[in-house]
Amino acid sequence: MNNNLVRSLALSLLVGVASPVLAAPAPVSDLQIQNTSPDVQQLERLISARNQLQLDMQRQLNQMSSEVDNLRGLVERSNYELKQMLTRQRELYQEVDSLRQQLKNKTVASTGKETAKTSEYSSDRNENEAYDKAVALVLKDKNFSGAINAFQDFLKKYPQSSYVTNANYWLGQLYFSQNKVVEAQAAFIVVTNNKSSSKRADALLKLGVISERQKNNTKARSYYQQVVDNYPESTSSRQALQYLQN
């Protein structure tokens, strides 16, 4: 047999044996190995890490938003309280100026110089000096905390003094300026019990304002109405009328 023919037969036999092997599908185990290749696993880890990062960022944003809302509420409340404090302080200064002018108009010393004493004097010199000292802490020194202590000491030492009504009026104003409404209310009530006091109209007005702050509008209107009915020509009456109309 010639060599070319032998070579052709051998090649044909090799092709016949190899064809079924090449045509067979890849085993399942091979596919699984491909699907779990290091590149695929790394990609899955990256996606999972990114999702977790997004969740963490969202939680942080939600927490920051809540904290900002809380801070905004605190700022708004602080601004409101500061505005209220400035209003009370301004009212006190106005009242101090008004009282100073009233005292100047009512009392003049024998030397012709104006003093801060009232027309009602006590026979006790120490009593007069103690009262004048407390008033001076308000009018001259603007030492309101010191004035509160001085008036409290005065009332303890001289409970029957002719200055009791005025001392309580000062205390009411000073407490009111510090938003100590319970203490101010007690002091103003003492003033209103003296129906001959020139401070009674304003004390009634302040009791109305305090009642309104305490959310007792019925009681507040009752105080305002007393001012309007009993002191129709006073400045306090005009203010009370405004409160009634609002």
Side-chain angles (χ1 to χ4, degrees), residues 110-151:
S110 58
T111 59
K113 296 181 180 180
E114 296 171 337
T115 69
K117 293 184 178 181
T118 64
S119 59
E120 296 180 357
Y121 290 93
S122 169
S123 59
D124 187 336
R125 180 179 177 181
N126 292 331
E127 179 182 338
N128 290 327
E129 290 179 353
Y131 179 77
D132 288 345
K133 181 180 179 180
V135 173
L137 287 172
V138 181
L139 297 179
K140 295 180 180 179
D141 301 335
K142 302 295 189 296
N143 183 358
F144 301 144
S145 296
I148 288 176
N149 293 331
F151 281 120

Side-chain angles (χ1 to χ4, degrees), residues 13-207:
L13 289 172
L14 289 174
V15 171
V17 172
S19 295
V21 174
L22 294 175
V28 175
S29 58
D30 292 343
L31 291 176
Q32 290 176 345
I33 292 174
Q34 292 176 2
N35 288 337
T36 57
S37 66
D39 291 342
V40 173
Q41 292 176 355
Q42 184 178 4
L43 180 60
E44 290 176 346
R45 285 196 296 270
L46 289 175
I47 293 174
S48 178
R50 187 190 62 180
N51 292 339
Q52 185 62 43
L53 179 62
Q54 290 177 341
L55 290 175
D56 292 341
M57 291 179 64
Q58 185 62 48
R59 281 196 294 268
Q60 292 178 5
L61 288 173
N62 292 341
Q63 182 178 355
M64 291 175 63
S65 177
S66 177
E67 291 175 353
V68 168
D69 289 341
N70 291 335
L71 288 173
R72 185 183 294 112
L74 290 174
V75 170
E76 291 176 353
R77 180 174 181 81
S78 297
N79 288 339
Y80 172 78
E81 292 178 349
L82 177 60
K83 183 178 179 181
Q84 292 293 102
M85 183 184 69
L86 292 175
T87 298
R88 292 191 294 271
Q89 194 75 10
R90 184 168 56 252
E91 290 174 349
L92 178 61
Y93 277 119
Q94 291 173 348
E95 186 62 29
V96 167
D97 291 337
S98 176
L99 289 172
R100 182 189 290 114
Q101 189 60 44
Q102 291 177 23
L103 291 170
K104 287 181 179 180
N105 293 338
K106 287 182 178 180
T107 63
V108 178
S110 58
T111 59
K113 296 181 180 180
E114 296 171 337
T115 69
K117 293 184 178 181
T118 64
S119 59
E120 296 180 357
Y121 290 93
S122 169
S123 59
D124 187 336
R125 180 179 177 181
N126 292 331
E127 179 182 338
N128 290 327
E129 290 179 353
Y131 179 77
D132 288 345
K133 181 180 179 180
V135 173
L137 287 172
V138 181
L139 297 179
K140 295 180 180 179
D141 301 335
K142 302 295 189 296
N143 183 358
F144 301 144
S145 296
I148 288 176
N149 293 331
F151 281 120
Q152 287 176 335
D153 292 341
F154 176 84
L155 290 172
K156 290 178 182 178
K157 192 171 183 178
Y158 305 103
Q160 304 301 321
S161 172
S162 58
Y163 301 122
V164 167
T165 299
N166 285 346
N168 274 283
Y169 179 76
W170 279 113
L171 279 175
Q173 292 284 26
L174 293 166
Y175 283 134
F176 185 82
S177 71
Q178 297 180 358
N179 201 31
K180 296 180 178 179
V181 293
V182 175
E183 293 86 344
Q185 187 178 47
F188 284 131
I189 288 175
V190 174
V191 178
T192 59
N193 289 337
N194 184 356
K195 294 187 178 181
S196 63
S197 172
S198 61
K199 308 297 190 300
R200 188 171 186 268
D202 190 62
L204 286 169
L205 180 69
K206 290 297 193 304
L207 286 173

Side-chain angles (χ1 to χ4, degrees), residues 209-221:
V209 174
I210 290 172
S211 296
E212 196 167 353
R213 289 182 182 178
Q214 293 173 334
K215 309 300 181 184
N216 192 340
N217 293 330
T218 301
K219 192 173 183 179
R221 294 183 67 85

